[in-house]
Amino acid sequence: MSSRRLGGIATATSLALALTACGASDAGTSGPAGNPVSGGTLTYAINTDADCLDPHQSPADVAGFFARPILDSLVALDAQGKVLPWLAKAWTVSPDGKTYTFQLRDGVTFSNGEPFDAAAVKANFDHVVNPKTQSKLAAGTISTYTGARVVDAHTVEIGLSRPSSAFLPAVATAYLGIEAPSTLTQDPKALCSKIVGTGPFVSTEGYTPQKGIDYTRRADYKWPAGTAKHQGPAYLDGLKIQVVTENSSRLGALTSGQVDAIASVPPVNVAQLKANPGFTIQTAQAPGGNYSYYPNTQSGPFTDLRVRQAFRSGIDWDTIVSKLYFGVFQPAKGPLAPSTVAYDKSVEPSYAYDAAKANQLLDQAGWTGRDAAGYRTKDGTRLTLVHPFLKAYVREQRDVLADQLQAAAKQLGIEIKNENVDYGGFLKLSGRARATTWATSAGSERRRTRCGLCSAVRTSRPRRPGSARTWAATAMTASTRTSTTR
């Protein structure tokens, strides 16, 4: 994708915060790990609901999270970015980089008894790119896919139209997780509530919107990823993931013992919980894209590079993020999190706050007038940006972040209109002609939208380095996952 047509404002680094309630440990740290014990059920409360359980269809982070206990992938990716075996025990790449040949593990079965084989792999890749699936992310991550050929029961060839260094990392994600072939012929809506895979857990009842999903251990599981330290069935008998979107309710459920752990600990409560020896906070910065804003570079004010540069430089992203998140989230300095493999620290100075430079750029762009409300004008037209976002899927106070961005932009004389739309409305905007390009997390799928400023969540899936280098204003490294345990 041409960098000239894609730009972004990274707002927060991906951070994972989890809180657990524990028997006794040093404040804010984990105690010595004991020997694993089989049995029991873990109840985990998360802050975001999903639109669909099937990651072949849904682009949501939480969809991949819900699906992962059920679905395995062909390969795995470790913390250093190394690709390791999983359902595929080995693979080779043709000299031209356009054909991947996977050797599959023997003896793997889906939880419904179907065998895992080369035909199943082909069925899954074909399902992802089938227009009837209406994939909103997975298909974009393999946009170069031309087809699969079954060589024999345990050998499959995947063809690409051109070499892609992002192919194997994409295959490692839950969005290309392998589902039972017989289920892929169902109505896509049925897969939104129940999927079948080769993973260590099964979900008989499936996913219930606004409630969550329950899993039970698969006793015969014995083909973990190359990253796994444990080789047999899961230690837990069961896992319950509950959707509790309200911060205080989620935290209250933990402190009252209703749940064992929670995701996305409210930043305002982090210091207090760290000081309490009954809880452990686990924090990890997720690799890949930061929480970013992507501008309309084909229509409206952002077609002018100077306006884009002014918006990036003229917003004090560091201060906004630091104050809103009490120092828990690290302000981002580019489109990718520092924990991303091959992160380039040299891009960070490009995101320095410089209000004087921003105002100078806006003057040069011809936005020199001011109306009665203090907004900049040119030829009698106010400098206005429209920002549609999906409030129903908001987490980590990103609606508040949008409001603070709106206030900061006003200091530059830029009006931002934050418009709350539903998912259907957002997709409708994506089909309009007046517009720009924004990218999925994988950086390969493009959509048209007439918004002046589009927000997009980028958390755990790597994007091609440099794909958003034209400009990007930065706010927070926020696909942070914070969880807490008792």
Side-chain angles (χ1 to χ4, degrees):
M1 183 185 298
S2 169
S3 63
R4 180 173 56 84
R5 298 182 59 187
L6 177 64
I9 304 172
T11 61
T13 304
S14 282
L15 177 65
L17 276 167
L19 179 64
T20 58
C22 45
S25 67
D26 293 336
T29 64
S30 297
N35 294 324
V37 177
S38 295
T41 297
L42 175 71
T43 302
Y44 187 62
I46 65 171
N47 60 318
T48 309
D49 201 5
D51 59 328
C52 175
L53 177 61
D54 181 15
H56 290 182
Q57 300 179 55
S58 175
D61 293 334
V62 70
F65 180 71
F66 282 157
R68 180 47 92 195
I70 301 172
L71 303 182
D72 293 335
S73 296
L74 287 180
V75 297
L77 203 65
D78 70 11
Q80 287 71 47
K82 183 179 179 181
V83 181
L84 299 174
W86 198 344
L87 292 180
K89 60 184 180 182
W91 56 91
T92 57
V93 185
S94 63
D96 64 2
K98 296 194 292 186
T99 302
Y100 286 72
T101 303
F102 293 94
Q103 301 294 327
L104 307 179
R105 295 176 75 154
D106 298 325
V108 178
T109 60
F110 292 93
S111 61
N112 64 357
E114 291 181 58
F116 165 75
D117 54 18
V121 175
K122 174 176 169 55
N124 273 263
F125 276 80
D126 289 347
H127 177 255
V128 167
V129 300
N130 189 330
K132 293 182 179 179
T133 303
Q134 297 186 22
S135 173
K136 301 177 184 68
L137 173 62
T141 68
I142 53 169
S143 60
T144 58
Y145 173 72
T146 58
R149 184 174 77 90
V150 175
V151 178
D152 59 43
H154 293 96
T155 308
V156 62
E157 286 183 356
I158 303 294
L160 306 179
S161 60
R162 62 180 184 274
S164 174
S165 61
F167 177 69
L168 285 177
V171 170
T173 69
Y175 298 90
L176 295 177
I178 304 299
E179 302 180 27
S182 66
T183 66
L184 301 180
T185 60
Q186 300 179 61
D187 186 317
K189 291 182 180 179
L191 292 173
C192 279
S193 60
K194 186 177 179 181
I195 56 176
V196 176
T198 63
F201 287 90
V202 299
S203 181
T204 304
E205 299 300 323
Y207 160 71
T208 302
Q210 301 179 19
K211 291 186 178 180
I213 183 170
D214 293 349
Y215 311 83
T216 55
R217 175 174 57 189
R218 194 176 163 186
D220 61 347
Y221 186 78
K222 53 184 177 182
W223 40 85
T227 54
K229 296 180 180 179
H230 174 59
Q231 297 301 306
Y235 287 115
L236 289 171
D237 289 333
L239 173 65
K240 295 179 180 289
I241 300 179
Q242 299 178 356
V243 175
V244 184
T245 58
E246 213 285 316
N247 284 343
S248 61
S249 297
R250 194 168 59 259
L251 184 60
L254 178 74
T255 56
S256 65
Q258 297 176 58
V259 301
D260 301 302
I262 64 172
S264 193
V265 180
V268 67
N269 300 117
V270 168
Q272 173 190 359
L273 290 166
K274 281 185 175 181
N276 188 329
F279 297 92
T280 298
I281 289 184
Q282 300 173 330
T283 302
Q285 189 180 90
N290 295 320
Y291 178 69
S292 303
Y293 289 89
Y294 288 85
N296 180 337
T297 59
Q298 293 183 350
S299 177
F302 277 144
T303 58
D304 191 324
L305 174 62
R306 294 166 296 188
V307 178
R308 302 199 298 271
Q309 292 173 330
F311 190 78
R312 180 182 66 183
S313 299
I315 304 294
D316 189 355
W317 304 96
D318 284 14
T319 298
I320 292 175
V321 171
S322 297
K323 289 186 175 181
L324 178 60
Y325 297 104
F326 298 88
V328 173
F329 291 169
Q330 174 188 344
K333 300 296 183 182
L336 297 177
S339 57
T340 305
V341 175
Y343 175 76
D344 184 3
K345 192 175 178 64
S346 68
V347 305
E348 294 185 1
S350 301
Y351 297 86
Y353 172 54
D354 190 337
K357 175 184 175 182
N359 280 295
Q360 183 181 38
L361 287 166
L362 291 173
D363 288 343
Q364 293 173 359
W367 296 95
T368 54
R370 294 275 183 168
D371 62 17
Y375 292 110
R376 287 178 177 269
T377 62
K378 180 167 67 172
D379 300 328
T381 301
R382 178 182 286 185
L383 179 49
T384 300
L385 305 173
V386 177
H387 172 218
F389 68 103
L390 302 169
K391 191 167 184 178
Y393 297 98
V394 161
R395 56 191 171 96
E396 293 159 348
Q397 294 182 281
R398 291 175 182 177
D399 52 343
V400 180
L401 177 66
D403 291 339
Q404 296 201 4
L405 171 59
Q406 182 183 57
K410 185 174 183 180
Q411 299 302 310
L412 290 173
I414 300 174
E415 179 186 39
I416 296 179
K417 293 182 177 180
N418 291 321
E419 295 187 357
N420 178 25
V421 295
D422 60 19
Y423 198 73
F426 194 86
L427 291 180
K428 204 171 186 181
L429 284 174
S430 300
R432 302 284 175 83
R434 282 184 54 203
T436 188
T437 302
W438 66 283
T440 66
S441 304
S444 56
E445 182 181 24
R446 293 186 290 178
R447 296 185 184 277
R448 298 271 186 196
T449 171
R450 66 184 182 90
C451 63
L453 185 66
C454 296
S455 68
V457 178
R458 305 286 182 264
T459 54
S460 57
R461 297 172 296 282
R463 186 186 296 112
R464 288 193 307 245
S467 66
R469 67 171 178 260
T470 305
W471 75 283
T474 287
M476 73 184 207
T477 297
S479 294
T480 302
R481 293 194 184 84
T482 312
S483 54
T484 309
T485 56
R486 287 178 70 88

